[in-house]
């Protein structure tokens, strides 16, 4: 029996008691004490059936919850038993080495860059930010801006396929011409989805290149 059905039955039983009591008050001698007592017992029993229905619903809820917990624990144990962080730890260690290598190369290049600028200035050749004015274009193509965090850009690019500047895909001096063209071709509308596709392709190509033929 559902709670709603039990409640309707209890309402009917309670109303039956009220109706009998009113008939007695109105002088109806056909209503006996036995009839009234029976109606009251039925109304009391109907209330118990409401409690029974509610308890039944609660028992079902508890049983469902217990089943869900049991299923979860089975999945949890399977997850924990099969947990192997070897690949993740290896990838993390490789990333640390790659970051260290990139950072070291950047620092070396920037030191050389600064030294060239200082020498150009001491010789009176430097104009603005170019040590050799008539070679400004080539200098700009290889200039590493000290304010640019290339490590952070590499992390972002590895996460979503491209790094952003002002919300748009950004290219920089460390990109190959092919990579610049690829990033520059990303459409504005679905650039994030295309970026993920591009990231996955680059990753798969890199993995394939390390596998034996």
């Amino acid at each position: 029996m559902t709670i709603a059905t039990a409640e309707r039955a209890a309402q009917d039983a309670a109303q039956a008691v009220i109706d009998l009591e009113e008939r007695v008050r109105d002088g109806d001698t056909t209503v006996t004490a036995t009839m009234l007592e029976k109606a009251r017992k039925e109304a009391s029993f109907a209330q118990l059936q409401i409690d029974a229905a509610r308890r039944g619903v609660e028992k079902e809820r508890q049983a469902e919850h217990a089943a869900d917990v049991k299923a979860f624990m089975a999945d949890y144990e399977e997850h924990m038993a099969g947990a192997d962080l070897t690949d993740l730890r290896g990838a993390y260690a490789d990333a640390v080495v790659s970051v260290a290598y990139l950072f070291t190369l950047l620092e070396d290049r920037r030191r050389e860059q600064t030294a060239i600028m200082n020498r150009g200035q001491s010789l009176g050749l430097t104009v603005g930010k170019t040590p050799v004015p008539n070679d400004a274009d080539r200098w700009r193509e290889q200039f590493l801006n000290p304010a640019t965090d290339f490590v952070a850009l590499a992390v972002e690019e590895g996460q979503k396929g491209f790094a952003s500047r002002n919300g748009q895909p950004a290219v920089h001096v460390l990109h190959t011409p092919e990579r610049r063209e690829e990033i520059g071709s990303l459409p504005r509308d679905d650039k994030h989805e295309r970026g993920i596709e591009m990231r996955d392709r680059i990753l798969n190509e890199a993995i394939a290149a390390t596998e034996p033929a």
Side-chain angles (χ1 to χ4, degrees):
M1 181 182 294
T2 66
I3 294 176
T5 300
E7 287 177 341
R8 283 195 297 271
Q11 289 173 357
D12 292 342
Q15 188 61 48
V17 173
I18 293 172
D19 292 342
L20 285 174
E21 290 176 342
E22 286 302 311
R23 286 171 61 185
V24 171
R25 293 187 182 97
D26 289 340
D28 188 344
T29 59
T30 63
V31 179
T32 65
T34 301
M35 292 170 57
L36 189 56
E37 182 64 22
K38 180 183 178 182
R40 286 171 175 166
K41 287 181 178 180
E42 288 178 350
S44 177
F45 182 73
Q47 288 295 325
L48 293 176
Q49 286 186 312
I50 292 177
D51 294 340
R54 288 172 176 167
R55 288 186 183 182
V57 170
E58 178 60 20
K59 287 179 181 179
E60 289 179 1
R61 187 197 67 78
Q62 290 178 356
E64 290 177 358
H65 179 261
D68 290 342
V69 169
K70 183 178 180 180
F72 166 76
M73 291 305 299
D75 292 341
Y76 173 79
E77 289 300 332
E78 181 180 356
H79 169 75
M80 295 304 294
D84 185 356
L85 300 182
T86 301
D87 289 345
L88 281 172
R89 286 168 177 158
Y92 181 82
D94 290 343
V96 171
V97 172
S98 295
V99 168
Y101 184 55
L102 174 59
F103 184 80
T104 301
L105 290 178
L106 286 168
E107 290 297 289
D108 290 345
R109 179 69 179 183
R110 281 170 169 155
R111 276 194 294 269
E112 295 174 1
Q113 195 172 260
T114 300
I116 289 294
M117 285 290 294
N118 290 339
R119 288 180 64 190
Q121 287 177 344
S122 67
L123 294 172
L125 300 175
T126 299
V127 176
K129 296 182 179 180
T130 305
V132 180
N134 61 2
D135 199 26
D137 290 340
R138 194 157 63 114
W139 175 260
R140 280 193 296 267
E141 290 175 359
Q142 299 186 28
F143 180 73
L144 300 182
N145 190 332
T148 300
D149 188 346
F150 289 102
V151 173
L153 291 175
V155 170
E156 184 181 3
E157 197 167 331
Q159 290 174 330
K160 62 182 186 180
F162 61 89
S164 299
R165 184 182 296 117
N166 298 324
Q168 296 302 320
V171 296
H172 52 71
V173 65
L174 296 185
H175 283 134
T176 64
E178 294 78 14
R179 185 73 175 132
R180 289 188 185 189
E181 182 178 355
E182 186 175 30
I183 293 174
S185 68
L186 287 172
R188 287 178 174 269
D189 295 337
D190 61 344
K191 60 178 178 294
H192 295 293
E193 181 178 346
R194 291 284 298 278
I196 295 299
E197 293 175 357
M198 187 165 60
R199 178 205 66 188
D200 292 344
R201 177 184 57 75
I202 292 172
L203 176 60
N204 290 331
E205 289 177 353
I207 292 174
T210 63
E211 294 177 346

